[in-house]
Each structure stands twice: as C-alpha cells, then as structure tokens.
Amino acid sequence: MNRKNIHIHLSEAKSSDGSLKDLEIHVGKVKGEQWDEKEGPTPFPDHTALRNWDRKLLSRYKPLYLPFCDLCCLCTYGKCDLSGGKRGACGISMEAQQSRIVLLAACIGAATHISHGRHMVSHLVDRMGRRTPIDVGGSSVDVEAPVTRLVCGIKPKTLGDLEIVLDYLESQVTDLLAAAHTGQESDPIDFESKVFHAGMLDHVGLEIADMAQISAFNLPKADPEAGLVDLGPGTINPDKPVILVIGHNVPPAIDIIKYSREHDLSEKIEVTGICCTAIDLTRFDPGAKIVGPISWQLRYIRSGVPDLIVVDEQCVRADLLIEAGNIMAPLIATSSKNCAGLVDRTGDNPYDIVADLVSGTVPGVLILDPEKVGEVAVRACIESHKNRQAQKICLIPSREELADYAKRCSGCMECARACPNETPIPDAMKIAATGDLSLLSEIYDICIGCGRCDDACNKEIPVHSLLVAAARDKVTDEKYLVRAGRGAIQDIEIREAGGPIVLGEIPGVVAFVGCANFPKGAFEVAEMAREFSKRRYISVASGCSAMAIGMYRNEEGQTPYEEFHGRFDAGGIVNVGSCVSNAHISGAAIKIASIFAKRNLRGNYEEIADYVHNRVGAVGVAWGAMSQKAAAIAAGFWRLGIPVVVGPHGAKYRRMLMGRKDHGEDWYVYDSRTGEKVEVGPVPEHLFVTAETKEEAMVLVAKLCMRPNDTSRGRSMKLTHYIDLHKRLYGILPDDIHLFIRSNADIPITMKDELLPIIQEKGIKDKIIPDPTLLESQVRARGGGKG
C-alpha cells in the first residue's frame, strides 16, 4: 500500500562539505514497522482475495432470504416485480436483490465507522502530530492491533500509520459500493462474500477509531478494573445546568469537559450523554453521566431536563432540532455528516454564538471545531439554564393531564399497529382514562423510543410522553452503575483463558452487542448476561447492550457490573466500551489464535478465521440490532466464522445464514494431522439466526458455542449447559443431542442415565478430531495426506 511515491535522481550534488554522485532518493508512505512474523498470503486483501473462504462458509450456511417486499426500485427501469422467480429488467433475481440490499446496508455501516475513524485520526493528527504513539494497554498488550495486523499485515505504531490503513479501507468500500450498481454483480453468493468483506473492513475501522481515541485521550487501557460510572436519569441533578451530548464522536464532548475543568465549572454543571458518546465520555471523565441507550432520546429531552443539546454523528434522531425547540433548549451540531440545516458558525466569535443561542435568535448552530464547541456549549448552557428556570418546559404530562389525554383515545389501534413491539397501547389508554396507569407503565419498560405511536395517532395524543408520565416514579429512581469501557483485552488474560476456551473448559464467550431495538426491554439483555456468567461463560458487552446490562439490579440491589468481575475470564461481565470497541471482541478471538496457538497474524486472515471458527466457542448476541452499523459489525464476526444471534426484529435484515443439521454432508472437516475428512456434526449450527424469545436465544447460544475442536471434557460441559437450559426453558430434552455426542466420554456424567438410551437408539460416530480445519492448505502445511 505504498502511496504518493517520489523518486529523485541527482547525477551530482556539491556543497562546501563535499560532493555526491548518482544519488537516488525514494520518498513515500511505508507499510509501517516490520516485525519478525512472516507475512501471510493476503495483506491488504481486495474483495476477491478471501472469496474462497467466504464460499466455504456460505456452502455450509446457506442464505435464507426474507424479503421485505417483492419489488426492486433502485433504478428507472423499475419498479420491477421479482416475485415467483421473475427477474428484473436488468436481469437480477430476488435472491441477488436481497443480497444486494444487505451489501448496501453493510457498506453504509462500514463507511460510517471508517469515516468516523478518519475523522478521529485526522483531528488527533492535527492536534498532536503523526508521530503520536499508539498505546492501548502499555506493557500488558503486545498484540495491540490484532484486527489491523491480521487484515493489513502491518504493525501500526503511531497515529500516522493509521492513515495508511484508512486509505485502504476507503478504497475497498468504494469497490464494494460499485458492485451494487445496476448491471454489476449478479450472483447472490458473491454478493454475500462482499458483505463479509464489508464486515471485515468495518472491524478494522472500529479498531482504528478506538485505538486512536484511547491513545490520545488516555481512556482506560485494557483495564479489567475500570471504575464504575453512573447510568440513568435518576443520577442527574436537574437543578444544575445540564448539557446533553448525543452520538458517537466524543472529541466535542471531551472539549466540553476540558473547558469546564479549566474554568472551575465541573461541579457546577452536569454533562450527560446518550449512546456511544456517553460511554466514551465516561471513559475520559467518570464524573459524566450516561442517561441511557439510543432509545432514550425522546423521553429524556421531553422531560425538559437538558438545558442545551450537542449532537455529533451516528444514531442521532433526525428530529432533534424540533424536539429541542419544543423545550426551548439550544442545539449545537458538531459533525459535517449531520449539519441539521444549521448555519455554520465555526469561524464566528464564541460570544456572538452564545448570545444568539441564549436569546433564541437561532434554534441552533453548526460548529465544526470541537474546542470551540467546548466553550460555547458550557457558556450557553449556563445562560440557558438561567432563562429556563423560570419557565422550565416539561413535555411529560402530569397525572391529571395524562388522564385527559387518555380519554381522547378512540381505540382505533393505529398506535398498536405502528409499534414495532406491538404493545397494547389502546388497552392501556382505556384503563388509564380511569386513573389506572399500571399497563402504560409496563409498556414504558419495553418501549424502544421510536415515537411512531405519536405520528400514528389521529387524535394528536403524545403517546410516548404518556408512557414516560405513567412511569414517572420509575424514571426518577433509575440509578444504575456500569463499568467504564476498558478497551482491549490484556495479553495475559488471553494466555490464561485461551486454552480453556479452545478446549471447551470455559464453555464459551458470549458477546452482547448492537442497538436498543429490544423486543421486551433492556432487562432481557441483563438477564441473559447474568445467566451465562453464572454458568462461567465469559460475557462481553459494548455500546447500548453494555448499558442495558447495567440497567438491572439483583435481590441485593447490585447491578451486574457490581455482581460479576470485569476480567476476560470465566464468570466475568466485560464492558469493552462503545460501538467502536467491538473490535476488541473480535480482536480477542484473533489473539487467542496468535498468543495461545502461536499462529501468525500478519496478513494471514484465512488461517486465523479457520482456527477461530473451529476452535473458539464465541457467539455474538445482537438482541436489539437496528442500524446498518449493527449489520456491518455482525458481518465482521461472520467472516471469522463466529455466529451471531439477533432478536426478532433482526429478521428485517432480509436474510439469515443457517445450517442444516439434517444434511450430514455439510459438516465435514479435515483432520490436519492425518488428512482424513471426517463428519463432526453441526457445530456451530448457524452463522446468523434470529430468535423470537430470550429463552430461545439462550438455548441457541449454548448450542452455538460448541466447536469441532472441543475435548470430551469441554464438550461434556457445553452439553450440560445446552441440555439444562433446554429442559429448564422448554421443559423437555433437546431432540438433537445425539448430533453433538461424539463418544461416550462426551456425555455429561450427571445425565448419563437419561442420555444413554437416546445414544443407543440413535448411535454415535466415535471420532474426535484433535486438529480440525476446513482448509486443504492446512492439511498440506501440517504434513497430512489428502482426505
């Protein structure tokens, strides 16, 4: 990836100190510091370099398409009806069209994170210089950029090295988008391969962004004991001036903190946040407050608590300028990707900007200089608070107003039809009119904050605000704790946990990632994380799911982050940080191959992905996946062979990647020591699958953690959890146990009497593979014959 090369040849150069003849100078960008590790076959791979690996996975996990509609409307040939085997005017099939839409979603998600990484790196280079060293864990992290090393084959040492990687990522996303044009790619499986490529690029972009901000802002560096920080509206003092930051790009929020510190205002204002900017801000300053996940934007703004709102990029509601205006709170936009139609005041005097915001001359401004945002936001918030104290505007109705609104409800059911979770709002309104708010309060617990009920109501009832009003006591009592995002996993943690994970003695790593589009509320994520950590799985979390885990208290009043340790080890609940910190989760799986198994990372993607898929019992759970970013994050795990389970809304991503456990021919691997080709059973059974309920998800996770490489002891432990969860949640034994028992030694000792009759009836293949692989090249490399 050498770029901007300059070649200078001087036949003769003289000075007072001497002369040089035939001098040649080459100037250009270098790949970064080289190291002893041998370079693998695919450094900086293009979108066909790993196509064979993708197709191996996709031959096992065939796409199951779930079209939203039968039409393609992307070009002026259309609308084209693709139902019933028909093709579009360009010749595209329904399957290829669905895969093309998935590719577009993955490219949008990857571009979002990569663009964020570019923005972050450019900003920090301007402030601190290209030679600023990367440090994500000091001496505790030697493999500091596992995803970047694996994909690009370089070992970045400074912020400047990251620019080379960003050049590559941006060029690849452009190629993928080009493939989605009318009259380009036609094969659905090749589209899917490109989706995998977008996901892989996304994880590199995630790693770049988080490495840069950890290094520059001194965020926790692989710290398993990162402190606990406040979460929930109840932790915020509304009597102080309150700034609300929303989005995913933390530099403007950090400059708000810096300005308040420099002017001794830290104790006099509250800096609060929603979504990933909030997580990253508390990594920088534990005194900041996390309001909640993406779904809490409307409820918190309508409460009237924020005196000023600062938005940056990603996962920001498109109507926030309107919502802010409704409570007379000024708004500052800080990202070129989200200008909100506001006038760019970046070059103006801060005093003039503050005066215009506080007076209401303008509803908001665009400021693209984070340092100026810091000054303007703090000063304008303090003045806004003074003005708003006399007439604090709260759009959450009183109990009396709520009853009056409820009486206006005609029971037309439009709100229920509009609600993604199909909540019984009309029934709740009917009894709320009598003064009984219990059902509205229950709906609040599972509300995802989309506001579609408001728009659907033909009686102009602010339904969402009524839900919050009904749960007023809950809202004020919402005081939780979440562990600050720790960043990377230490190398020593990988050394200690890697062996037990690969052998199956730690039954699995369960990663709770994604958005807050939860089917029945955030508490389900916390319940799943607690269940698996109690069973000595490692629970890992990021973003909105990390917040959701914190929004729960056990019988002793502890949040899960107080109840469980934060180490990457059996029984832990590990918060790596914001959405960009997801790279530390995939990075941990990659580091197991590098640190524990001593496999080369450098540009060696296929071998490492094969290792992870066959040996590392990891599963992602995106229970509230909503955005295109979540789709890209999931795709990055798929290419590593790591399954992802999504909630019921995940079906709207248009396709699943599901295995067929009844197709024995799909479940062969090579024994790389002998070259023998052996059936190992459906492990893991699916690569991308939706679950309708929390119970179904937990049973699926336990099953999907099984791997061909499990030792008998490890498989026995995994089967124990799978069978126990299935019996407890469904009331019966699973009907596929025989597919996962390879020998009598796999049978859990406490279940032998129950399972032996089944095994005797179904029969088992007495074969355990010590070194499984899907790659013929690994058979040859390790001296085996051909199977």
Side-chain angles (χ1 to χ4, degrees):
M1 290 301 296
N2 294 331
R3 297 173 185 273
K4 299 180 181 177
N5 291 309
I6 301 170
H7 176 214
I8 301 171
H9 178 263
L10 298 176
S11 58
E12 186 173 6
K14 293 184 178 180
S15 74
S16 58
D17 296 322
S19 63
L20 294 170
K21 290 187 177 181
D22 293 324
L23 175 65
E24 292 194 14
I25 303 173
H26 295 270
V27 181
K29 289 188 178 180
V30 296
K31 278 191 172 184
E33 182 179 321
Q34 304 302 306
W35 70 104
D36 291 339
E37 200 168 280
K38 179 183 176 183
E39 186 172 77
T42 56
F44 292 101
D46 67 16
H47 57 273
T48 60
L50 296 165
R51 181 171 177 256
N52 288 340
W53 167 249
D54 298 337
R55 293 183 79 91
K56 283 183 188 295
L57 291 176
L58 291 162
S59 66
R60 175 179 284 184
Y61 305 105
K62 296 176 176 64
L64 172 66
Y65 294 104
L66 308 164
F68 253 12
C69 71
D70 296 330
L71 302 176
C72 174
C73 311
L74 282 183
C75 78
T76 61
Y77 279 148
K79 304 175 180 179
C80 288
D81 181 3
L82 304 180
S83 65
K86 294 190 286 288
R87 290 182 175 269
C90 71
I92 200 166
S93 66
M94 173 67 84
E95 292 80 5
Q97 170 64 4
Q98 296 309 306
S99 289
R100 176 163 67 157
I101 297 297
V102 175
L103 174 60
L104 287 170
C107 284
I108 292 170
T112 303
H113 288 136
I114 293 164
S115 174
H116 171 53
R118 173 67 76 178
H119 190 173
M120 179 72 71
V121 170
S122 296
H123 170 68
L124 296 176
V125 164
D126 287 345
R127 277 199 175 184
M128 306 173 70
R130 284 184 172 80
R131 294 186 180 181
T132 302
I134 292 168
D135 178 9
V136 298
S139 60
S140 67
V141 178
D142 288 330
V143 185
E144 75 293 326
V147 186
T148 303
R149 289 190 188 198
L150 176 63
V151 175
C152 300
I154 74 166
K155 185 179 181 181
K157 289 292 187 181
T158 67
L159 290 179
D161 292 338
L162 302 181
E163 294 179 313
I164 305 166
V165 180
L166 287 163
D167 288 346
Y168 159 73
L169 298 176
E170 290 160 350
S171 70
Q172 287 299 298
V173 170
T174 301
D175 284 350
L176 293 177
L177 282 169
H181 189 276
T182 301
Q184 295 270 40
E185 186 57 78
S186 61
D187 181 69
I189 300 302
D190 274 321
F191 268 126
E192 297 292 347
S193 173
K194 291 174 171 63
V195 171
F196 285 15
H197 194 65
M200 182 193 73
L201 301 174
D202 183 66
H203 280 238
V204 180
L206 298 172
E207 187 173 76
I208 294 295
D210 209 32
M211 284 197 304
Q213 66 181 14
I214 289 170
S215 302
F217 298 133
N218 198 31
L219 307 186
K221 296 181 177 179
D223 182 5
E225 304 300 329
L228 298 170
V229 296
D230 288 326
L231 165 65
T235 66
I236 296 156
N237 182 357
D239 295 328
K240 293 181 180 181
V242 177
I243 298 174
L244 170 62
V245 296
I246 307 175
H248 284 249
N249 188 40
V250 78
I254 284 178
D255 277 317
I256 289 171
I257 296 291
K258 287 181 177 179
Y259 184 87
S260 64
R261 287 175 178 173
E262 291 165 2
H263 294 81
D264 297 321
L265 295 170
S266 297
E267 300 301 319
K268 298 177 183 178
I269 65 172
E270 290 269 37
V271 183
T272 68
I274 288 175
C275 226
C276 284
T277 288
I279 289 185
D280 286 338
L281 187 59
T282 55
R283 296 166 81 185
F284 177 77
D285 180 7
K289 308 287 179 63
I290 300 174
V291 178
I294 180 177
S295 53
W296 286 36
Q297 294 179 63
L298 288 183
R299 68 182 69 173
Y300 186 55
I301 292 173
R302 291 181 183 181
S303 73
V305 172
D307 293 299
L308 180 133
I309 299 170
V310 178
V311 299
D312 48 77
E313 60 188 60
Q314 305 174 38
C315 301
V316 176
R317 285 187 64 94
D319 57 358
L320 286 194
L321 188 61
I322 297 170
E323 293 289 340
N326 290 340
I327 63 166
M328 297 182 66
L331 182 140
I332 301 174
T334 65
S335 171
S336 60
K337 303 177 199 78
N338 180 20
C339 297
L342 298 170
V343 175
D344 187 351
R345 302 290 296 275
T346 306
D348 291 0
N349 186 298
Y351 287 88
D352 295 335
I353 304 173
V354 170
D356 287 347
L357 287 173
V358 173
S359 67
T361 302
V362 295
V365 295
L366 173 66
I367 304 176
L368 299 176
D369 176 3
E371 192 169 348
K372 185 169 286 186
V373 171
E375 178 181 357
V376 171
V378 172
R379 292 178 53 220
C381 177
I382 292 170
E383 294 302 317
S384 174
H385 178 73
K386 293 175 184 176
N387 293 345
R388 296 177 73 249
Q389 268 188 313
Q391 48 175 358
K392 196 87 167 180
I393 297 174
C394 175
L395 300 181
I396 306 302
S398 66
R399 192 180 185 93
E400 295 74 21
E401 291 170 329
L402 193 162
D404 290 340
Y405 273 123
K407 290 172 184 176
R408 287 163 51 179
C409 176
S410 64
C412 68
M413 299 296 290
E414 290 298 325
C415 56
R417 281 189 281 269
C419 177
N421 284 340
E422 300 177 344
T423 53
I425 297 171
D427 293 341
M429 288 290 191
K430 185 176 181 179
I431 65 172
T434 69
D436 183 351
L437 307 182
S438 58
L439 187 51
L440 276 178
S441 180
E442 289 177 20
I443 293 173
Y444 168 85
D445 289 333
I446 62 175
C447 174
I448 58 173
C450 65
R452 289 171 60 174
C453 51
D454 287 6
D455 290 331
C457 182
N458 55 30
K459 299 292 185 181
E460 297 185 350
I461 300 171
V463 180
H464 181 73
S465 296
L466 267 57
L467 298 176
V468 181
R472 193 182 306 272
D473 293 340
K474 290 182 185 177
V475 175
T476 56
D477 287 341
E478 286 181 311
K479 299 178 181 178
Y480 305 105
L481 293 169
V482 60
R483 194 173 300 283
R486 58 166 285 169
I489 308 303
Q490 294 182 4
D491 291 7
I492 191 171
E493 292 175 285
I494 297 294
R495 289 189 189 98
E496 292 175 351
I501 290 170
V502 169
L503 299 176
E505 293 163 7
I506 290 177
V509 180
V510 188
F512 295 94
V513 303
C515 321
N517 193 13
F518 306 125
K520 289 187 178 177
F523 66 91
E524 289 197 323
V525 183
E527 289 176 344
M528 286 190 280
R530 291 180 73 246
E531 179 70 41
F532 284 111
S533 291
K534 284 179 181 178
R535 292 172 177 271
R536 294 183 57 76
Y537 289 73
I538 303 174
S539 295
V540 190
S542 65
C544 288
S545 290
M547 297 182 207
I549 290 172
M551 293 159 58
Y552 179 100
R553 290 192 182 276
N554 64 12
E555 296 80 3
E556 285 75 42
Q558 293 177 308
T559 64
Y561 292 104
E562 297 169 279
E563 187 180 2
F564 299 92
H565 64 79
R567 301 185 304 279
F568 188 79
D569 199 0
I573 294 184
V574 183
N575 177 19
V576 293
S578 63
C579 276
V580 294
S581 304
N582 277 303
H584 303 307
I585 301 176
S586 54
I590 292 165
K591 285 169 72 167
I592 289 172
S594 171
I595 294 171
F596 168 71
K598 308 297 184 186
R599 302 288 180 98
N600 283 356
L601 289 189
R602 188 178 172 192
N604 193 27
Y605 195 95
E606 191 174 58
E607 181 184 346
I608 297 301
D610 178 67
Y611 182 94
V612 170
H613 179 61
N614 284 297
R615 292 169 173 79
V616 180
V619 178
V621 180
W623 197 235
M626 174 274 293
S627 68
Q628 293 89 6
K629 296 194 314 165
I633 291 168
F637 285 115
W638 301 333
R639 197 174 224 181
L640 283 169
I642 297 174
V644 176
V645 178
V646 289
H649 295 305
K652 299 169 191 173
Y653 280 123
R654 292 179 172 82
R655 65 98 175 85
M656 300 289 111
L657 298 171
M658 301 179 69
R660 289 285 302 270
K661 61 186 176 186
D662 57 326
H663 287 191
E665 66 274 15
D666 290 344
W667 304 105
Y668 279 87
V669 300
Y670 294 103
D671 181 343
S672 61
R673 299 182 184 184
T674 66
E676 185 182 2
K677 196 173 181 181
V678 182
E679 185 182 348
V680 291
V683 286
E685 184 179 350
H686 306 299
L687 201 55
F688 183 44
V689 61
T690 183
E692 290 298 315
T693 65
K694 172 194 70 176
E695 291 75 18
E696 183 184 356
M698 289 196 290
V699 171
L700 267 171
V701 167
K703 187 200 293 194
L704 293 175
C705 281
M706 291 187 235
R707 293 294 184 274
N709 191 68
D710 295 337
T711 62
S712 287
R713 183 184 176 196
R715 180 61 63 88
S716 174
M717 291 177 66
K718 293 183 181 185
L719 282 168
T720 298
H721 295 298
Y722 171 47
I723 295 167
D724 181 64
L725 281 166
H726 200 285
K727 286 174 66 177
R728 180 158 67 83
L729 299 175
Y730 291 146
I732 58 173
L733 281 169
D735 61 5
D736 57 1
I737 301 171
H738 60 287
L739 298 176
F740 306 109
I741 297 178
R742 304 159 301 179
S743 73
N744 286 337
D746 287 350
I747 302 174
I749 294 174
T750 58
M751 300 179 179
K752 263 194 174 171
D753 292 342
E754 194 173 16
L755 298 182
L756 275 174
I758 298 172
I759 300 308
Q760 288 166 357
E761 177 190 348
K762 300 285 187 180
I764 56 174
K765 297 178 176 64
D766 194 5
K767 191 73 179 177
I768 297 176
I769 309 300
D771 200 2
T773 179
L774 291 175
L775 305 175
E776 290 188 57
S777 61
Q778 288 302 299
V779 175
R780 292 191 293 271
R782 296 178 184 278
K786 289 189 177 181

